[in-house]
Amino acid sequence: MGNSRAKEAMQNFAINQALKYIEGNPEENIPKLMALVDKFSPADWYTTQRSVVRKVIEEKSNWYQLILRVYDLDPDVCKAFFRNFLFNASLKGSATQDEWAEREGCNIPWAILLDPTSACNMHCTGCWAAEYGNRLNLSMEAMDSIIRQGKQMGTYMYIYTGGEPLVRKADIIRLCEMHPDCEFLSFTNGTLIDEAFCREMLRVKNFVPAISLEGFEDANDSRRGQGAYQKVANAMRLLKEHKLPFGISACYTSRNYEDITSEEFFDYMIDSGALFVWFFHYMPVGNAAAPDLLPTPEQRETVYRRIREYRKTKAIFSMDFQNDAEYVGGCIAGGRRYLHINAKGDVEPCVFIHYSNCNIHDVTLLQALKSPLFMAYHDGQPFNENMLRPCPMLENPEKLRAMVNETGAVSTDYESQEDVDHLCGKTVPYAEKWTPKANELWNQCLACKGCKNGEGCQ
């Protein structure tokens, strides 16, 4: 007990010292902050990433410019982000997650995705969320319980999906107040962000929106509806004026991949105030999905190369969740890094995999992580040694089909249930076409020095 208290006291001292370096002169304080991280971090904790950060500081590259942009945020919001995201979720939380994973023999997530509601004020082409219907909601009690259980296991990162999460603005803000030690992020269409909500974000300090944007006005509104682009532009303007952090969520398809991976789009996001952009590959989930939106191998390669190129020059953090699996060792679903709980309480291994064999209203979070489907993920990951073929649905559909059938998982789409064979039938042709190109790119990646120094393929 004494050692534990001493360790906690040292951690609290470190975080309080670090917070002093969040404000003031970044040129002077950024190196001090990095030195403090090095001093109090375990010797083997993210050593490669820390080395890269030190190099960024020394060379004052585009990533350094991004750090300066973070320094320009509201100081109290910036401090909350450092404490909750970097310390609680990533340092202290990761250590606790590892302890639980080893003891329990299952995956323990870094982040939990929650659907507060299935309701949405939009109906976008190819969106699977509408398949749930608009009558489902997680109660405040259920969400609070999930977060409390998660924190016991070291999970301090919670991400809202939907539906449109901001349909329940008041409840989301209340959860931020109830758990000030957690960082909350929400995927949102941005149309419900107004002046009053920005003030609430400033008050609670631990909420970050990731606004959906599918490109410039024509490309975006063709999928999301007339006027959606201008509403998003207004939301970004308000967030920037209030010095609040936010990012962009962009789904690339066969129709918009050129738009959202152009230099003009990257510059637009940065000028609008976005600090990060998460790129998602279109997934043909749901009976109403449009398989023609799936990118061709050549189109996906274009996305792969452009995003990596702009990482070298643009002051925005970008992550391509389908093409960047090399950095996280493959599929991160099934609780390995995250899981998803829908608005009815079904615990799903992935936000795109709508099959489950347990409901959070009937089991604990730990019991869900030990359920047959989640253990199938645990035992099967990585699903492919080629990190450009990480997904058990998109690139390895035979793996998802087997896991669902062998574990007895059932469809969680209550409006129009989709059989796993029907879903995988849409991705088998895609996987067959992508495999040769994925092998070519992955072999290039293995041959280059980038994969050996933590910077990725050049």
Side-chain angles (χ1 to χ4, degrees):
M1 180 67 74
N3 288 338
S4 176
R5 287 178 177 173
K7 182 180 179 181
E8 184 176 352
M10 287 295 289
Q11 289 176 336
N12 288 335
F13 171 78
I15 192 70
N16 288 331
Q17 286 294 108
L19 292 176
K20 295 179 182 179
Y21 299 136
I22 296 296
E23 292 185 82
N25 183 354
E27 296 282 343
E28 178 181 337
N29 288 346
I30 289 173
K32 291 180 180 178
L33 182 58
M34 190 63 214
L36 197 66
V37 170
D38 284 338
K39 180 178 179 179
F40 286 95
S41 297
D44 60 348
W45 188 73
Y46 295 127
T47 53
T48 300
Q49 290 88 338
R50 282 154 53 194
S51 175
V52 171
V53 172
R54 280 191 293 272
K55 183 179 178 182
V56 163
I57 294 171
E58 292 169 2
E59 297 181 352
K60 291 184 168 49
S61 67
N62 58 303
W63 291 92
Y64 184 78
Q65 300 308 312
L66 176 59
I67 295 173
L68 294 182
R69 294 182 62 212
V70 172
Y71 259 76
D72 195 41
L73 296 173
D74 175 85
D76 290 335
V77 172
C78 197
K79 288 178 182 178
F81 175 80
F82 182 92
R83 182 179 58 247
N84 295 349
F85 180 82
L86 294 179
F87 182 75
N88 291 348
S90 300
L91 180 53
K92 180 178 75 172
S94 292
T96 304
Q97 292 157 29
D98 289 344
E99 292 172 3
W100 275 72
E102 183 176 356
R103 183 175 70 244
E104 300 295 339
C106 64
N107 287 328
I108 302 296
W110 176 79
I112 294 177
L113 276 61
L114 299 170
D115 289 358
T117 180
S118 63
C120 185
N121 59 331
M122 299 176 71
H123 197 292
C124 304
T125 303
C127 177
W128 51 264
E131 293 278 313
Y132 280 120
N134 59 8
R135 298 177 297 279
L136 305 177
N137 295 279
L138 281 174
S139 68
M140 277 290 292
E141 293 75 18
M143 290 189 284
D144 178 51
S145 174
I146 292 165
I147 295 168
R148 291 183 185 279
Q149 290 180 65
K151 287 199 292 186
Q152 287 184 334
M153 296 187 287
T155 305
Y156 288 85
M157 186 74 194
Y158 295 87
I159 302 175
Y160 298 117
T161 53
E164 169 50 49
L166 295 191
V167 168
R168 293 183 65 182
K169 284 182 184 180
D171 289 338
I172 283 175
I173 290 296
R174 178 63 184 137
L175 285 167
C176 290
E177 293 175 313
M178 294 167 68
H179 300 280
D181 53 349
C182 293
E183 192 71 15
F184 294 91
L185 183 142
S186 179
F187 291 108
T188 173
N189 58 42
T191 62
L192 300 179
I193 295 175
D194 54 17
E195 177 77 29
F197 190 68
C198 287
R199 290 196 296 269
E200 287 290 83
M201 286 177 60
L202 284 170
R203 184 172 65 83
V204 296
K205 305 174 184 60
N206 56 343
F207 179 84
V208 179
I211 301 173
S212 297
L213 193 60
E214 310 298 337
F216 292 110
E217 192 159 13
D218 288 344
N220 184 78
D221 288 3
S222 68
R223 187 174 180 211
R224 296 187 167 271
Q226 194 67 30
Y229 181 85
Q230 291 301 326
K231 291 177 181 178
V232 166
N234 182 63
M236 293 192 294
R237 178 186 60 78
L238 287 170
L239 292 164
K240 184 178 181 179
E241 288 177 355
H242 287 82
K243 295 191 173 184
L244 286 163
F246 72 93
I248 299 298
S249 169
C251 175
Y252 57 90
T253 72
S254 60
R255 298 176 187 172
N256 74 344
Y257 76 99
E258 287 273 12
D259 221 11
I260 66 171
T261 59
S262 66
E263 184 169 16
E264 292 80 7
F265 188 65
F266 269 79
D267 290 341
Y268 173 70
M269 291 187 290
I270 294 169
D271 291 344
S272 297
L275 296 173
F276 63 89
V277 53
W278 288 357
F279 290 97
F280 293 92
H281 188 291
Y282 174 72
M283 299 291 192
V285 177
N287 289 314
D292 63 305
L293 291 176
L294 284 166
T296 66
E298 294 73 25
Q299 291 168 346
R300 179 168 170 179
E301 181 184 8
T302 296
V303 173
Y304 169 87
R305 294 193 182 282
R306 285 185 178 180
I307 291 174
R308 290 174 181 236
E309 183 62 32
Y310 292 136
R311 281 190 188 137
K312 303 174 187 177
T313 59
K314 302 298 181 182
I316 186 170
F317 178 82
S318 59
M319 177 64 75
D320 180 347
F321 277 83
Q322 209 61 31
N323 290 329
D324 283 341
E326 68 185 88
Y327 301 109
V328 290
C331 171
I332 62 173
R336 181 169 168 263
R337 290 292 182 270
Y338 90 96
L339 58 81
H340 177 239
I341 302 176
N342 71 20
K344 193 173 182 179
D346 298 308
V347 187
E348 301 169 336
C350 174
V351 71
F352 299 114
I353 304 297
H354 299 168
Y355 301 94
S356 177
N357 48 27
C358 57
N359 188 287
I360 201 64
H361 298 116
D362 305 319
V363 300
T364 65
L365 190 56
L366 182 59
Q367 288 171 334
L369 288 161
K370 291 185 173 183
S371 69
L373 183 57
F374 275 78
M375 288 308 297
Y377 266 76
H378 173 272
D379 297 340
Q381 290 163 324
F383 295 110
N384 200 302
E385 292 302 318
N386 184 331
M387 292 292 105
L388 289 170
R389 298 175 59 199
C391 179
M393 175 185 70
L394 189 65
E395 295 105 354
N396 306 278
E398 72 283 356
K399 301 287 181 71
L400 178 63
R401 182 183 284 114
M403 288 192 295
V404 170
N405 289 330
E406 291 169 7
T407 62
V410 298
S411 172
T412 56
D413 187 335
Y414 296 101
E415 292 297 302
S416 178
Q417 292 198 358
E418 182 172 32
D419 180 86
V420 69
D421 291 325
H422 180 266
L423 172 62
C424 292
K426 290 178 286 188
T427 60
V428 166
Y430 175 93
E432 292 175 347
K433 293 176 183 177
W434 171 244
T435 296
K437 177 59 68 176
N439 290 341
E440 174 192 334
L441 294 173
W442 185 238
N443 287 334
Q444 291 174 8
C445 184
L446 292 177
C448 79
K449 295 180 180 179
C451 293
K452 299 175 184 177
N453 64 17
E455 296 178 0
C457 291
Q458 303 302 305

